[in-house]
């Protein structure tokens, strides 16, 4: 890996070749890890193919490190100016308000989901439409509650911190 970074300084054609190979490998890993579990997760289908214990062990052992390497490539590529349109998309200024609320949403989303689940009085049947509807409902409600938490707890603490830091 160190050799790849050192080669960036010497030849420009190596940069484009390494960049292209890096993006292809990243795309392959992300798509493979996302779609490979289709057979494992279609348990409702009567003729679903069951994974072997060895297959499950290999997937569970390699999936997280491979995913982190793919995300690492995206970060490195964007930081070195090789991100292209992905860097433009991830750097878009419209993400800033949502990114400031992310931690508050992380704190409250489980509570939002638990309140809704506790209020259910009958059995719900799984449909894709219902799951999409619930996903967006949980997303919007989590951001609204996260905004309230941010305004009530986080913003006043930031103001107090600014006052204390400026007095020193």
């Amino acid at each position: 890996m160190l050799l790849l970074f050192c080669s960036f300084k010497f030849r420009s054609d190596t940069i484009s070749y390494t960049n292209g190979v890096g993006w292809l490998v990243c795309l392959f890993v992300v798509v493979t890890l996302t779609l490979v579990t289709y057979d494992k997760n279609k348990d409702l289908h009567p003729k679903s193919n069951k994974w072997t214990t060895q297959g499950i062990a290999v997937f569970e052992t390699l999936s997280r490190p491979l995913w982190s390497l793919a995300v690492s490539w995206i970060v490195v590529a964007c930081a070195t100016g090789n991100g292209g349109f992905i860097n433009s998309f991830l750097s878009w200024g419209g993400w800033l308000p949502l990114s400031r609320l992310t931690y508050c949403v992380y704190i409250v989303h489980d509570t939002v989901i638990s309140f809704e689940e506790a209020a259910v009085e009958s059995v719900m049947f799984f449909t894709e439409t219902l799951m999409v509807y619930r996903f967006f409902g949980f997303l919007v409600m989590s951001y609204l509650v996260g905004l309230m938490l941010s305004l009530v707890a986080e913003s006043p603490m930031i103001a107090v911190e600014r006052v204390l830091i400026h007095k020193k």
Side-chain angles (χ1 to χ4, degrees):
M1 197 65 152
L2 181 61
L3 292 174
L4 290 176
F5 287 114
C6 291
S7 69
F8 282 170
K9 296 179 182 174
F10 300 114
R11 293 179 31 193
S12 62
D13 59 338
T14 305
I15 294 171
S16 61
Y17 177 75
T18 306
N19 189 30
V21 169
W23 279 111
L24 286 175
V25 169
C26 177
L27 181 65
F28 175 76
V29 167
V30 167
V31 169
T32 301
L33 289 177
T34 304
L35 300 178
V36 76
T37 58
Y38 175 75
D39 286 341
K40 181 183 176 202
N41 294 327
K42 64 175 187 175
D43 290 334
L44 297 177
H45 195 276
K47 294 182 181 179
S48 73
N49 298 329
K50 298 294 180 185
W51 280 26
T52 63
T53 305
Q54 293 85 4
I56 293 171
V58 168
F59 178 77
E60 293 297 329
T61 302
L62 297 177
S63 64
R64 287 175 180 87
L66 287 175
W67 186 266
S68 65
L69 286 174
V71 172
S72 298
W73 169 256
I74 294 170
V75 170
V76 168
C78 290
T80 58
N82 296 315
F85 71 92
I86 292 177
N87 187 26
S88 301
F89 176 74
L90 293 176
S91 300
W92 178 53
W95 296 121
L96 189 61
L98 295 177
S99 70
R100 292 180 190 253
L101 293 176
T102 300
Y103 186 67
C104 289
V105 172
Y106 168 73
I107 291 172
V108 301
H109 84 278
D110 195 35
T111 307
V112 170
I113 293 171
S114 297
F115 275 129
E116 199 276 334
E117 292 296 325
V120 172
E121 295 180 1
S122 63
V123 177
M124 286 191 292
F125 293 101
F126 174 81
T127 63
E128 288 84 6
T129 307
L130 178 64
M131 290 299 113
V132 169
Y133 175 77
R134 293 182 75 200
F135 168 78
F136 283 112
F138 290 143
L139 181 70
V140 169
M141 287 304 297
S142 294
Y143 267 98
L144 289 174
V145 174
L147 176 64
M148 287 188 281
L149 178 65
S150 176
L151 292 175
V152 169
E154 189 177 16
S155 296
M157 294 310 292
I158 290 172
V160 168
E161 184 179 304
R162 285 183 184 157
V163 167
L164 292 176
I165 287 175
H166 288 295
K167 285 192 174 185
K168 292 182 178 179

